[in-house]
Amino acid sequence: RVRSPQKEMLYATAFLAAWASAYSPMAGHRPPSSRLARPNMRSPVRMSGSPSETVDMVGGELRKQVPVTSDMMRPRPGIEWSHLKKQLEVNFEVDSFSDLTKEDLLDAYRMMVLCRQFENACNQAYMQGLIRGFMHLDNGQETIPAFIADCIKQGDVKVSYYREHCHAIASGVPAEKVMAELMAKVDGTCKGTGGSMHIYDVENNFQGGWALVAEQLPYAVGAARAIMLDRHLGRTGTDDDRISVVFIGEGGAQNGRMAECLNAAAKEKLPVLFVVIDNGRAINTFTPDVAQNSEVFTQGAHYGVPGIKVDGGNLEDTLRTSRSVVDYVRAKGPAILQIHTYRPQGHSPADPEHERGRKEEKKWARAEADPIKIFEDTGVLAEDEMEAVKADVKAEIKRIMDFAKASEPPPRELAKELEFPDAPDTDYNGRAPSVPDAEEITKRTLSPQQLELVNGRIEMLTAKSAEGKLTIGDAVNLAILEEMLRDPTTTIHAEDLQAGSSYDIPAQTQQVFGTLRAADEIIDEGHFMGKALGEGLNGYRPIVELMNANFGIYGMAELSSAGNTYATTGGQFQMPMTVIGAGGTAPNQALGAEHSQPFHAYVMGIPGLKICTAASPDAAYGITKSMIRDNGPCILFCPVKMMKAVSSSVDVGKCLPLNKAAVLHKASDAAVAEGKAVTVLTYLHGVKESEMAVEAIMAEGCDVDLIELRSLKPLDMATIAESLRRTHKVVILDESTQSGGVGATVSAAINEQLFFELDAPVKRLCMDDAPVPYAASMEAAVVKRGTDLIEAVLNLVFLKGA
């Protein structure tokens, strides 16, 4: 929305006034009750600690780091409803507030008690050895699941972090299934594959449980984009008011992903709510010790995203505020809700809690900042009503524990079954679009001019193919345009997308399909790879174009999670996502070390990824089409120095397998009979180098089976074995380093599975472990090429140069 200058002034003035009132030394606090004898929160609370403590709000004052003689403590913020109300009226344009009925508060109280007792049961089970690994409890923060149950709907997407048990339960996930998951049982939410930090439930749109701090942020933004895409494509009714909700701690919100996601959410006015759980501890470190500004709700001001902070010790204020903020997000766009809480337990049960002041803070928080006790003291509920709730919850916890204990462990073979959503040998040629009315949606959402534009470009690229003039970049572009036209759930993210990026891979996608389906991105691959992951979890088939594959280093966390998602969710969530980048290291590349890294080797160890290479337009075209149709995460690497230099034809409309190597040249039977044939395995620029070397090798009376490793994972051992049974000698021209490279993996597999077919040791021609230099004179010592291959083949056959 565009505000008038007068309204902007009102916005700023009201915000500052509300802020000053809420946090002034004179701000009032709830009076101590008869049950809880609280100290005056306007006075410092004494704690032991070191002389160099950094303290936060004490008596409304932000104190500097000074020697501490009288110990201090983080008090409750003392935010009154009148101040919250004013901020909501001005910053969130709220003109009326819903009443909290006694039934609402009774439901909220029951949710809080259920969550507290569930976490206590988890703690006991952990100590008994029934729960293993890492576990993070949510005690002291129960108003958050209370607000989730109160105003977040089943259709809303909920994305949390590793302290998510209660968020899942409040979202409607059966508590007994959550407990069974913690106990690694087959009846758990994810069949025992996820555990405490990875709770998922497709029916209730609960999408994690993510263990890497702040990684969940772009996933939630991607989920919000999926909601917008559903509306754009007409996949939902006109009354769709779903939102995406993401939970993060105030420490995690200092991560750069927060800024990137606020920018993205604001730019596209996405329906996403950022819930910041502010317990003052980043793991156990006192957050102000490491964060210049812990008031995360103010971060959105730079992007025009409103924010508000509420005292999570006050159930009624938390519910009132969250209702208004959620309504704002449903109607108008992104917002930040910061909830000030205390966590009176360590980061995990195994936490030694050696951080300064932590044990004293816990003791104080249990006595003075327990949201359940604070609500009980309001007198809203009668004693017998509260006792009835506690008795009901006690019985519920027993039922939950009985269910989880009775469940069986998952079968051993499930682990391998969950590696890929689609089997490696899947034929994608007959696969239908993701939605049955795909053609109708495409016609409805694209104008005649857009259809004319895309069909015209497809015809032009097809004509170039017929002439044998289609480049690798053009071939990938052709495949993408065809698939986006065929299946309206296909989306694409890239930098410089409007201009076609560096190799025309995303050319004309935004001009044809619009900004929702073809997103031009800020320069951070991890952020938009994360958004793509969020779309993939919610019914879309995103493509990520990396421009240069090495830029994917920024997205290693997101790639790792994409590979793990299908298995970690117990097969509930497929993860269709295609990542495409031009990379590798060609001889005489002159790009220096950072642009010459073997990113394809870096990702080989990530489970669940299908990793392919393509050194020709035909391979790039057919593999791209198959990857887009695959239901799991795939990565295609193309040779950066061959993107525009190599031209040929493609088999239009044909999908290629994602698990097969290609035999590009076969040694003659005579060379095989004479023992002068060698198997050569290579990929990317090595294909061109090898093809140029074949003539020289044959001139020496030798020959080769030249095999392009189009599938690095899974590796096509059948094709390698068939060749080795003929040649019994193998050279690997490898475009990755000696340590941890692709060639090392392939060599190990050959030695383990085909050892008795070898007449000589595997010969690896790989990059040196030294960084790739810019100067050609030095680069020749690091990067192997065709001349090295010729020497290696002759060495194996004639022992030349031995």
Side-chain angles (χ1 to χ4, degrees):
R1 295 178 314 285
V2 178
R3 290 190 176 95
S4 66
Q6 293 82 4
K7 193 164 188 180
E8 287 291 350
M9 180 63 71
L10 174 63
Y11 178 104
T13 303
F15 177 85
L16 291 172
W19 174 264
S21 298
Y23 295 99
S24 73
M26 300 304 294
H29 298 271
R30 298 182 68 90
S33 68
S34 57
R35 181 176 295 188
L36 287 177
R38 297 184 182 87
N40 185 345
M41 295 284 80
R42 285 184 290 249
S43 302
V45 178
R46 299 179 64 84
M47 287 181 59
S48 62
S50 71
S52 59
E53 287 184 294
T54 302
V55 298
D56 68 342
M57 300 293 292
V58 178
E61 216 172 85
L62 184 61
R63 303 193 183 185
K64 297 179 181 179
Q65 183 167 319
V66 295
V68 176
T69 53
S70 60
D71 301 325
M72 292 168 264
M73 163 88 205
R74 176 182 187 248
R76 288 180 61 193
I79 308 171
E80 295 193 358
W81 170 243
S82 60
H83 304 140
L84 291 169
K85 185 170 180 289
K86 178 59 67 177
Q87 291 182 58
L88 290 167
E89 287 172 346
V90 176
N91 299 344
F92 292 84
E93 304 177 14
V94 178
D95 52 17
S96 63
F97 297 87
S98 60
D99 293 329
L100 290 174
T101 66
K102 183 175 180 179
E103 184 179 1
D104 293 336
L105 293 171
L106 183 61
D107 289 343
Y109 177 69
R110 187 187 189 283
M111 179 56 66
M112 290 201 297
V113 173
L114 174 62
C115 289
R116 174 68 58 83
Q117 295 309 318
F118 182 91
E119 297 290 67
N120 288 346
C122 288
N123 195 41
Q124 185 176 10
Y126 191 89
M127 298 306 174
Q128 293 171 343
L130 299 176
I131 298 173
R132 302 173 63 240
F134 295 138
M135 182 179 72
H136 309 85
L137 302 178
D138 206 32
N139 297 54
Q141 305 183 149
E142 288 83 3
T143 54
I144 294 165
F147 111 68
I148 296 170
D150 179 70
C151 60
I152 302 301
K153 301 177 182 179
Q154 182 180 17
D156 296 331
V157 177
K158 284 75 67 172
V159 187
S160 192
Y161 61 130
Y162 47 79
R163 200 181 305 277
E164 87 284 31
H165 309 161
C166 297
H167 302 165
I169 294 169
S171 298
V173 182
E176 64 272 18
K177 288 185 170 291
V178 176
M179 185 63 76
E181 185 62 33
L182 270 62
M183 292 188 184
K185 300 297 185 69
V186 73
D187 293 317
T189 56
C190 305
K191 301 180 182 178
T193 62
S196 171
M197 296 183 286
H198 302 289
I199 304 296
Y200 298 83
D201 185 82
V202 68
E203 182 179 348
N204 289 287
N205 290 293
F206 193 81
Q207 299 180 5
W210 301 91
L212 301 178
V213 173
E215 68 163 317
Q216 71 272 21
L217 291 169
Y219 308 160
V221 173
R225 292 193 91 255
I227 291 170
M228 298 291 282
L229 282 160
D230 284 346
R231 296 171 187 173
H232 170 67
L233 298 179
R235 301 179 71 189
T236 58
T238 56
D239 60 346
D240 178 27
D241 67 350
R242 291 173 299 148
I243 66 172
S244 173
V245 186
V246 60
F247 302 90
I248 189 167
E250 88 291 343
Q254 304 295 329
N255 190 290
R257 285 283 184 269
M258 187 73 172
E260 295 160 357
C261 290
L262 284 170
N263 175 74
K267 188 66 178 173
E268 296 189 301
K269 295 182 174 59
L270 299 177
V272 56
L273 172 60
F274 299 87
V275 179
V276 180
I277 303 171
D278 175 13
N279 54 42
R281 295 281 170 173
I283 304 180
N284 278 314
T285 297
F286 190 41
T287 306
D289 285 354
V290 294
Q292 177 65 22
N293 187 350
S294 297
E295 305 302 342
V296 179
F297 74 96
T298 65
Q299 287 186 15
H302 180 69
Y303 307 96
V305 175
I308 194 167
K309 180 176 179 178
V310 65
D311 180 2
N314 186 320
L315 173 63
E316 295 172 65
D317 285 1
T318 301
L319 294 183
R320 288 192 192 100
T321 303
S322 60
R323 285 182 178 184
S324 296
V325 173
V326 167
D327 286 346
Y328 175 91
V329 176
R330 293 195 192 284
K332 297 174 182 177
I336 305 172
L337 174 61
Q338 183 167 351
I339 304 178
H340 183 285
T341 69
Y342 296 87
R343 176 164 46 82
Q345 286 180 296
H347 181 64
S348 72
D351 181 10
E353 299 185 275
H354 291 155
E355 288 76 7
R356 64 173 185 79
R358 186 70 180 108
K359 293 181 180 178
E360 291 84 354
E361 182 185 43
K362 284 171 51 180
K363 182 178 179 180
W364 176 88
R366 287 193 181 104
E368 308 298 337
D370 183 336
I372 295 178
K373 291 180 181 179
I374 291 170
F375 177 71
E376 289 174 343
D377 287 344
T378 63
V380 171
L381 300 180
E383 194 73 30
D384 60 336
E385 291 176 309
M386 293 188 291
E387 291 303 319
V389 167
K390 291 175 184 177
D392 180 54
V393 167
K394 182 178 179 180
E396 177 74 359
I397 293 297
K398 183 180 184 307
R399 185 188 68 79
I400 290 168
M401 298 303 293
D402 289 345
F403 175 90
K405 290 177 181 178
S407 180
E408 295 293 327
R412 178 188 181 92
E413 57 271 16
L414 182 62
K416 190 63 177 176
E417 291 173 9
L418 292 174
E419 183 179 9
F420 301 118
D422 289 336
D425 61 353
T426 298
D427 182 353
Y428 301 93
N429 285 290
R431 177 157 287 183
S434 302
V435 288
D437 54 345
E439 187 174 352
E440 191 274 329
I441 291 175
T442 297
K443 289 180 179 178
R444 187 178 70 245
T445 54
L446 298 185
S447 69
Q449 293 78 13
Q450 289 170 316
L451 286 170
E452 182 180 1
L453 179 61
V454 67
N455 287 325
R457 182 166 180 85
I458 288 173
E459 289 172 7
M460 179 272 291
L461 293 173
T462 303
K464 287 179 69 174
S465 171
E467 296 171 2
K469 297 179 179 180
L470 198 69
T471 66
I472 294 176
D474 284 342
V476 177
N477 179 232
L478 175 60
I480 288 172
L481 291 173
E482 287 178 344
E483 292 302 307
M484 292 186 75
L485 192 61
R486 171 183 174 272
D487 188 338
T489 67
T490 307
T491 64
I492 187 167
H493 298 257
E495 300 165 2
D496 217 17
L497 179 139
Q498 296 176 53
S501 192
S502 292
Y503 307 106
D504 280 344
I505 286 175
Q508 295 295 311
T509 53
Q510 190 173 93
Q511 290 86 341
V512 172
F513 301 104
T515 57
L516 268 178
R517 288 187 61 193
D520 212 340
E521 296 288 0
I522 60 169
I523 303 176
D524 178 62
E525 286 71 14
H527 147 260
F528 60 82
M529 205 176 289
K531 290 198 298 186
L533 190 153
E535 291 174 11
L537 285 170
N538 289 280
Y540 287 85
R541 315 187 78 81
I543 304 162
V544 174
E545 196 266 338
L546 291 178
M547 187 180 287
N548 185 291
N550 291 316
F551 299 163
I553 292 171
Y554 278 106
M556 285 294 283
E558 289 76 13
L559 276 174
S560 173
S561 291
N564 288 325
T565 295
Y566 181 66
T568 303
T569 66
Q572 293 182 85
F573 289 93
Q574 295 180 336
M575 190 58 256
M577 183 168 77
T578 301
V579 180
I580 301 172
T585 308
N588 299 311
Q589 185 162 285
L591 293 179
E594 289 198 17
H595 278 63
S596 302
Q597 298 180 76
F599 188 60
H600 47 281
Y602 297 174
V603 299
M604 283 284 284
I606 297 177
L609 299 182
K610 291 177 181 173
I611 305 172
C612 293
T613 70
S616 66
D618 188 58
Y621 172 83
I623 290 172
T624 297
K625 290 180 74 71
S626 293
M627 284 187 166
I628 294 171
R629 299 184 187 189
D630 190 89
N631 287 314
C634 305
I635 308 180
L636 174 61
F637 292 93
C638 298
V640 65
K641 283 295 186 178
M642 296 166 60
M643 297 299 291
K644 296 180 178 180
V646 175
S647 300
S648 68
S649 301
V650 303
D651 192 348
V652 175
K654 183 179 180 181
C655 297
L656 292 179
L658 301 181
N659 68 330
K660 290 295 181 184
V663 179
L664 304 181
H665 176 86
K666 195 168 184 177
S668 67
D669 291 340
V672 170
E674 294 172 5
K676 295 182 179 179
V678 176
T679 298
V680 174
L681 307 177
T682 192
Y683 58 96
L684 294 179
H685 302 95
V687 172
K688 182 180 179 182
E689 292 292 311
S690 299
E691 288 177 331
M692 292 191 299
V694 168
E695 186 176 350
I697 291 171
M698 294 178 69
E700 295 285 344
C702 302
D703 209 344
V704 298
D705 278 359
L706 176 56
I707 298 175
E708 180 185 3
L709 298 177
R710 292 182 177 175
S711 173
L712 299 184
K713 197 172 78 170
L715 188 63
D716 183 6
M717 289 302 294
T719 297
I720 295 173
E722 183 179 350
S723 176
L724 276 179
R725 292 188 185 106
R726 302 173 70 241
T727 68
H728 306 290
K729 293 177 283 292
V730 61
V731 176
I732 305 172
L733 181 54
D734 181 18
E735 214 160 306
S736 59
T737 49
Q738 183 176 25
S739 301
V742 171
T745 298
V746 176
S747 176
I750 291 171
N751 278 294
E752 290 168 2
Q753 301 176 40
L754 300 169
F755 179 78
F756 294 105
E757 297 294 343
L758 296 173
D759 288 346
V762 175
K763 181 66 176 177
R764 281 201 292 148
L765 302 175
C766 50
M767 292 164 55
D768 192 85
D769 283 345
V772 177
Y774 173 70
S777 57
M778 291 189 291
E779 185 228 53
V782 176
V783 180
K784 300 300 186 288
R785 57 204 70 210
T787 53
D788 298 300
L789 176 63
I790 295 168
E791 181 181 349
V793 168
L794 299 181
N795 180 16
L796 279 177
V797 175
F798 301 120
L799 299 181
K800 286 189 177 181

